Amino acid sequence: MLFSSHAAELWLQGTNGISWIPAAFFCVLAIACAHRGLSWAAGVAAVLGCLSSGAALPIWFVLALIAFLRNDSRLRFLIPGAIGVLVVVS
């Protein structure tokens, strides 16, 4: 399994840096949407970032912090925080 084509593809993506570029893009998009109060768009961008690479996993905590600093309702910062805990634990 170490030399399977999928493992080789993942190794190549990890060594040339291409795997985290979409994750970074979607994280920046999520942060921009969260700053503008577009929590649903920020959530979608965060999901896409997490699906792109594991480098995007902490974005949920960033979204929760942004909602907290914006003095949004409790659900707007508790939901991303809870999702972040579930993502990291799983």
Side-chain angles (χ1 to χ4, degrees):
M1 292 186 77
L2 181 63
F3 299 110
S4 68
S5 61
H6 182 66
E9 178 185 358
L10 290 176
W11 181 78
L12 286 173
Q13 287 179 356
T15 56
N16 68 8
I18 195 77
S19 63
W20 61 269
I21 291 175
F25 167 76
F26 285 121
C27 287
V28 170
L29 182 63
I31 291 169
C33 290
H35 276 289
R36 288 171 178 76
L38 303 170
S39 59
W40 289 104
V44 170
V47 167
L48 291 173
C50 287
L51 291 175
S52 298
S53 176
L57 295 180
I59 189 63
W60 297 105
F61 301 114
V62 174
L63 294 180
L65 179 65
I66 291 170
F68 178 75
L69 293 174
R70 285 176 40 96
N71 289 327
D72 288 344
S73 67
R74 281 192 177 168
L75 284 178
R76 288 212 176 180
F77 70 84
L78 287 178
I79 291 174
I83 293 172
V85 169
L86 288 174
V87 166
V88 170
V89 168
S90 65

